[in-house]
């Protein structure tokens, strides 16, 4: 069992908990005459006492042999990985690998099978990701930790395996992984490794948008993304990955003494609840400010920013939902609530913010407040939130689809034909129902529509 220590009184092996299913897979490989280990990020997480997202195993058995040992498995040819299903969960078992020759700073040109666990660990990115626990058949399982990953784990440091410059030249994604793992694990980047990131940062220009987005999304899902966002900017990676955001650095903001616009962005991201669209919106909410600065004001920065954010996310090949959500939140984040707003004004606000997004918009603003050194509910945000919740609970009408009449009712009742006038009429009825919700009854609306249309035209104020 892992963690059992040793009878001679030497320091015990670190304790980690290994699920029975994983032990069973290892055992099957050992009994089949193979070396087998748990390896990589899962071992790192288990040693930190965190639940690993998935368990990865590595072995000297070639993929065909792994597939033969596990009848319910899928062989993914390209990387020599076999996916094994056991007790409803999935496990990846990969033959020892070695990477050969990198020519484009992103993928190894080929993957070869390695001879030993040591060779497999040497190709991994950071020392804390380059540990294994397991054995050759017939031997007692132990830690294999040739790069002193366990020591870096106690120091909470991300240190490249081998020569950092060479490793980042081989695969520039490792630099982005460094900052996102720093955020996720709340680790620092070892100074020599960080210096190498500074030297090699321009190489991340070769990475695909998709791979950058995956890492950025994971970084933003950390408890405190600032732990990764700080070194992202300080190392020069941000200047290559998002020059629009990098230009926030050094730009004065009279919000928190001595802090610039990038500091404000970082604080806002940390303050935002950990929800992917909200965190991304927090990161990009002021992306329009550097470009719109004139006479000490950021003119229309939210409108410019919403477009820039969409363009940036499109570059990363983000899905429509993320692009739409983020740009909608940014475009609307500069609202100025006043307690004097009428209930109709609150309903108009919800319509503009959209009912499905209005809570996120308030959450973004609360984070923005905190990022500005103010209380989360500055600007009477808590009151606005209560008023919005009351309107939503009353299921008030916010768009024409919720009216008690529809186009065909009006066509029949008013002898209208489909066309522009019908649309204008429905919008006007909606407007009136937003002001006065109790108008939303079929007979009332038909009568109002009749008053509104004279000689085939919409009249302005039939009752005045
Ligand atoms: P996560 O918690 O997000 O899963 P992880 O470190 O486990 O983080 P994975 O992408 O699951 O990341 O990779 C599993 C392991 O594969 C890593 O721990 C590392 O050993 C190795 N690895 C992944 N990407 C690279 C890379 N670009 N270069 C070298 N080794 C890598
Ligand atoms: Mg993993």
């Amino acid at each position: 069992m892992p963690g059992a220590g040793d009878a001679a009184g030497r320091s015990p092996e670190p304790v980690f908990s290994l699920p029975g299913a994983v032990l069973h897979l290892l055992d099957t490989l050992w009994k089949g005459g193979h070396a087998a280990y748990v390896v990589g990020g899962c071992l790192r997480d288990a040693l930190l006492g965190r639940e690993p997202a998935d368990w990865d195993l590595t072995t000297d058995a070639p993929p065909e042999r792994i597939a033969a040992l596990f009848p319910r498995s899928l062989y993914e040819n390209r990387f020599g990985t076999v996916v094994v299903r056991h007790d409803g969960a999935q496990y990846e078992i990969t033959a020892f690998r070695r990477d050969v020759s990198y020519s484009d700073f992103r993928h190894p040109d080929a993957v070869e099978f390695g001879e030993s666990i040591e060779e497999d660990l040497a190709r991994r990115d950071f020392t804390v990701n380059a540990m294994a626990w397991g054995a050759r058949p017939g031997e007692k399982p132990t830690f294999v930790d040739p790069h002193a990953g366990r020591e870096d784990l106690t120091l909470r440091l991300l240190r490249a395996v081998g020569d950092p410059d060479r490793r980042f030249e081989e695969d520039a994604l490792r630099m982005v992984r460094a900052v996102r793992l720093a955020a996720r694990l709340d680790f620092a980047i070892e100074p020599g490794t960080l210096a190498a990131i500074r030297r090699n940062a321009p190489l991340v220009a070769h990475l695909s948008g998709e791979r950058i987005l995956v890492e950025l999304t994971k970084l933003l899902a950390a408890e405190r993304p600032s732990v990764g966002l700080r070194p992202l900017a300080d190392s020069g990676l941000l200047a290559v990955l998002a020059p629009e955001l990098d230009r926030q650095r050094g730009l004065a903001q009279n919000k928190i003494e001595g802090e610039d616009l990038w500091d404000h962005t970082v604080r806002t991201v940390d303050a935002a609840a950990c929800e992917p669209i909200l965190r991304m919106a927090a990161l990009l909410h002021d992306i329009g400010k550097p470009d719109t600065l004139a006479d000490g004001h950021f003119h229309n920065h939210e409108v410019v920013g919403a477009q820039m954010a969409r363009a940036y996310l499109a570059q990363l090949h983000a899905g429509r939902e993320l692009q739409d959500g983020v740009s909608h939140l940014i475009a609307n984040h500069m609202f100025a609530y006043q307690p004097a707003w009428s209930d109709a004004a609150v309903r108009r606000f919800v319509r503009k913010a959209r009912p499905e997004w209005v809570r996120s918009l308030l959450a973004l603003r609360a984070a923005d407040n905190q990022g500005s050194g103010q209380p989360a509910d500055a600007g009477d945000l808590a009151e606005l939130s209560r008023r919005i919740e009351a309107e939503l609970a009353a299921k008030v009408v916010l768009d024409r689809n919720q009216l008690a009449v529809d186009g065909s009712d009006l066509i029949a009742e008013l002898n209208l034909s489909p066309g522009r006038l019908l649309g204008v009429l429905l919008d006007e009825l909606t407007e009136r129902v937003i002001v006065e919700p109790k108008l939303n009854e079929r007979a009332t609306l038909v009568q109002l529509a009749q008053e509104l249309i004279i000689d085939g035209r919409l009249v302005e104020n039939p009752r005045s």
Side-chain angles (χ1 to χ4, degrees):
M1 234 353 248
D6 143 285
R10 273 171 293 182
S11 67
E13 298 284 18
V15 179
F16 71 99
S17 75
L18 191 64
V22 178
L23 205 53
H24 165 81
L25 299 179
L26 287 170
D27 212 41
T28 308
L29 287 160
W30 291 329
K31 290 200 173 111
H34 295 284
Y37 303 84
V38 288
V39 68
C42 59
L43 188 55
R44 172 202 72 210
D45 287 347
L47 287 170
L48 287 170
R50 306 165 73 120
E51 182 79 22
D54 34 44
W55 286 90
D56 298 325
L57 279 69
T58 186
T59 175
D60 63 1
E64 301 76 16
R65 172 75 179 139
I66 304 172
L69 282 170
F70 300 98
R72 299 193 56 229
S73 62
L74 272 169
Y75 174 18
E76 285 181 15
N77 236 331
R78 209 155 80 84
F79 298 111
T81 297
V82 178
V83 178
V84 176
R85 275 193 220 108
H86 185 83
D87 276 354
Q90 288 204 140
Y91 303 88
E92 290 197 351
I93 307 182
T94 308
F96 293 154
R97 281 166 40 177
R98 90 163 67 102
D99 294 339
V100 284
S101 105
Y102 294 73
S103 48
D104 63 354
F105 312 110
R106 30 190 237 191
H107 299 290
D109 297 335
V111 174
E112 281 182 4
F113 296 129
E115 292 294 317
S116 64
I117 181 67
E118 285 77 13
E119 213 173 1
D120 185 272
L121 295 176
R123 70 166 175 95
R124 293 175 183 266
D125 48 7
F126 302 104
T127 61
V128 294
N129 286 348
M131 304 179 272
W133 182 88
R136 286 193 291 260
E139 291 180 0
K140 193 170 157 280
T142 52
F143 279 97
V144 187
D145 185 14
H147 308 285
R150 276 178 298 170
E151 196 180 323
D152 284 336
L153 209 60
T154 23
L155 297 171
R156 306 183 77 80
L157 279 182
L158 286 161
R159 182 194 313 267
V161 170
D163 171 28
D165 286 287
R166 226 191 85 215
R167 304 311 309 285
F168 297 147
E169 269 169 40
E170 284 172 359
D171 181 359
L173 189 73
R174 289 171 187 156
M175 294 185 272
V176 190
R177 282 177 54 87
V179 294
R180 82 96 160 142
L181 285 166
R184 208 178 87 75
L185 303 170
D186 196 8
F187 276 28
I189 301 173
E190 177 273 320
T193 301
L194 189 59
I197 296 180
R198 275 201 193 95
R199 287 189 290 271
N200 293 282
L203 297 179
V204 296
H206 297 276
L207 297 173
S208 74
E210 287 90 342
R211 296 183 85 198
I212 294 165
L213 182 63
V214 168
E215 299 301 328
L216 183 59
T217 306
K218 288 186 177 181
L219 190 164
L220 292 176
E223 196 169 306
R224 280 192 308 138
S226 57
V227 176
L229 290 173
R230 293 280 177 206
L232 183 78
D234 297 342
S235 65
L237 289 173
L238 186 68
V240 185
L241 294 176
E244 308 91 323
L245 283 179
D246 195 61
R247 286 171 47 222
Q248 296 188 333
R249 301 202 318 139
L251 202 73
Q253 269 284 77
N254 45 10
K255 289 188 164 166
I256 296 177
E257 187 66 34
E259 296 203 350
D260 62 17
L261 181 56
W262 172 246
D263 294 318
H264 164 69
T265 294
V266 171
R267 281 180 184 273
T268 304
V269 176
D270 273 3
C274 187
E275 189 265 308
I277 295 183
L278 185 59
R279 279 273 171 92
M280 188 65 85
L283 178 69
L284 303 176
H285 79 287
D286 279 346
I287 196 172
K289 276 190 171 174
D291 274 355
T292 54
L293 178 62
D295 313 321
H297 293 281
F298 303 108
H299 298 280
N300 266 337
H301 81 85
E302 72 276 24
V303 178
V304 174
Q307 286 165 358
M308 289 174 70
R310 182 184 288 284
Y312 174 66
L313 291 172
Q315 253 178 41
L316 300 187
H317 305 281
R320 259 255 113 69
E321 197 202 348
L322 185 63
Q323 288 187 35
D324 289 350
V326 168
S327 67
H328 175 72
L329 291 176
I330 295 175
N332 288 283
H333 85 277
M334 291 300 291
F335 59 88
Y337 171 68
Q338 307 279 334
W341 278 12
S342 64
D343 290 343
V346 172
R347 290 191 284 272
R348 282 203 195 88
F349 174 76
V350 176
R351 179 178 54 172
K352 183 156 182 280
R354 293 197 216 133
E356 68 274 27
W357 284 112
V358 71
R359 292 185 180 100
S360 301
L361 184 62
L362 263 64
L364 175 61
R365 185 57 169 274
D368 196 0
N369 283 341
Q370 287 174 282
S372 309
Q374 295 176 346
D377 72 344
D380 295 299
L381 222 49
E383 181 187 285
L384 176 60
S385 170
R386 275 194 301 277
R387 293 183 68 184
I388 289 170
E389 291 303 330
E391 296 294 344
L392 292 173
K395 298 201 166 26
V396 292
V397 169
L398 295 164
D399 72 68
R400 56 154 89 164
N401 300 324
Q402 299 167 299
L403 286 179
V405 292
D406 63 13
S408 50
D409 292 330
L410 296 179
I411 290 170
E413 296 280 350
L414 278 74
N415 205 12
L416 288 174
S417 44
R420 210 187 74 85
L421 179 66
L422 185 64
V424 174
L425 183 59
L426 284 166
D427 284 343
E428 180 61 26
L429 292 176
T430 310
E431 202 48 51
R432 285 167 190 253
V433 171
I434 286 174
V435 176
E436 192 60 87
K438 69 174 189 290
L439 296 179
N440 194 31
E441 280 172 9
R442 194 176 187 283
T444 314
L445 290 179
V446 168
Q447 195 197 334
L448 186 56
Q450 276 160 347
E451 293 168 19
L452 280 165
I453 302 280
I454 293 173
D455 292 339
R457 291 179 44 209
L458 195 71
V459 293
E460 285 295 300
N461 278 311
R463 285 182 174 163
S464 55

